[in-house]
């Protein structure tokens, strides 16, 4: 017995799947080409990144001794050892001054204002300074109690005042300011309240200050807040 094919409603014989239509006309897809060179490059990049990360972690564990500033040092001022302390930091390749050079640092000047907490680098120091350079002079003073503040210290800014002694008979000499802003280079206080002080002033007034200081007619007044 033969089974006849049913026709569709429009009278055409139904098509068999897989024998005609767009699917039958589709071109075969070629196999994907493998690129071993790119795969190898990707592996190398991954390994390189992992190695770099490992090196950074290992380097972060390396510690070196450096110089840290503990008190403000104005630009042009000598950097004292009392303003330095040793700290341990990671070796990041920055040219921080090693702690073993602290003695050499104490003979240099601040090229910029150094704030507490600053890690010192070589560019922050200078071997010369405008504060003690051409046109400047250091004057040593031996002062008595009452002629200087008891808390006078290095780097203070002071006024240098001429105070005529009571023994001057003419009475024409009057008190006057010889230097409006002299920087204290060093200061040491004695038990009696006086002390030895070295100040930096202009060369034009230095001889006058030295002359008055020899006769005990110099007094220093600090200027708080001035650096």
């Amino acid at each position: 017995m033969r089974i006849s094919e049913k026709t569709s409603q429009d009278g055409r014989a139904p098509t068999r799947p897989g024998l005609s239509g767009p699917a039958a006309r589709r071109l075969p897809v070629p196999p994907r080409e493998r690129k071993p060179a790119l795969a190898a490059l990707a592996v190398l990049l991954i390994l390189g990144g992992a190695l770099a990360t490992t090196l950074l972690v290992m380097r972060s564990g390396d510690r070196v001794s450096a110089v840290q500033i503990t008190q403000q040092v104005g630009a042009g001022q000598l950097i004292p050892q009392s303003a330095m302390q040793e700290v341990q930091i990671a070796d990041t390749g920055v040219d921080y001054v090693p702690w073993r050079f602290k003695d050499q640092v104490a003979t240099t000047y601040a090229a910029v204002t150094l704030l507490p907490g600053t890690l010192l680098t070589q560019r922050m120091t200078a071997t010369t300074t405008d504060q003690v350079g051409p046109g400047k002079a250091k004057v040593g003073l031996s002062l008595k109690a009452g002629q200087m503040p008891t808390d006078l210290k290095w780097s203070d800014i002071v006024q240098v005042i001429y105070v005529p002694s009571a023994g001057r008979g003419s009475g024409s000499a009057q008190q006057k300011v010889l230097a409006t802003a002299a920087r204290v280079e060093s200061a040491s206080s004695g038990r009696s309240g006086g002390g030895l002080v070295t100040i930096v002033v202009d060369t034009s007034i230095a001889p006058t200050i030295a002359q008055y200081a020899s006769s005990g007619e110099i007094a220093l007044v600090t200027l708080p807040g001035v650096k």
Side-chain angles (χ1 to χ4, degrees):
M1 180 175 60
R2 187 179 65 177
I3 300 175
S4 61
E5 296 181 352
K6 294 182 179 180
T7 60
S8 60
Q9 294 180 356
D10 57 0
R12 292 180 298 179
T15 58
R16 294 183 181 180
L19 298 179
S20 63
R25 295 191 298 271
R26 185 178 302 169
L27 296 176
V29 179
R32 181 176 298 178
E33 181 181 358
R34 296 183 179 181
K35 298 180 179 180
L38 292 179
L41 178 60
V43 172
L44 290 177
L45 290 176
I46 294 173
L47 293 177
L51 179 60
T53 302
T54 303
L55 289 176
L56 288 175
V57 173
M58 293 176 62
R59 288 292 300 274
S60 65
D62 295 339
R63 313 294 288 182
V64 295
S65 295
V67 175
Q68 185 181 54
I69 300 300
T70 58
Q71 65 187 50
Q72 181 171 332
V73 181
Q77 297 182 26
L78 197 66
I79 305 175
Q81 286 198 10
S82 60
M84 296 181 283
Q85 72 175 6
E86 181 183 8
V87 292
Q88 296 290 325
I89 61 173
D91 185 7
T92 58
V94 180
D95 62 338
Y96 294 121
V97 177
W99 176 251
R100 65 179 182 273
F101 295 135
K102 64 181 183 302
D103 293 335
Q104 290 90 323
V105 173
T107 63
T108 63
Y109 301 88
V112 295
T113 298
L114 303 176
L115 300 177
T118 300
L119 292 175
L120 195 66
T121 64
Q122 293 182 358
R123 293 184 178 182
M124 297 179 184
T125 64
T127 56
T128 60
T129 174
D130 294 337
Q131 296 293 334
V132 190
K136 297 291 184 179
K138 294 182 181 181
V139 180
L141 307 174
S142 178
L143 303 177
K144 299 178 181 179
Q147 293 181 320
M148 59 177 285
T150 57
D151 59 348
L152 191 66
K153 63 183 182 302
W154 167 86
S155 81
D156 280 347
I157 302 298
V158 297
Q159 283 187 344
V160 183
I161 302 175
Y162 165 59
V163 182
S165 63
R168 291 186 179 272
S170 63
S172 59
Q174 297 181 355
Q175 177 177 312
K176 58 183 177 181
V177 177
L178 301 178
T180 58
R183 188 176 299 278
V184 176
E185 182 75 8
S186 64
S188 60
S189 300
R191 294 182 179 179
S192 60
L196 301 177
V197 181
T198 300
I199 58 175
V200 179
V201 296
D202 293 338
T203 54
S204 59
I205 196 64
T208 303
I209 294 176
Q211 178 184 352
Y212 289 144
S214 64
S215 59
E217 296 177 302
I218 288 294
L220 301 181
V221 178
T222 55
L223 301 175
V226 179
K227 290 293 184 181

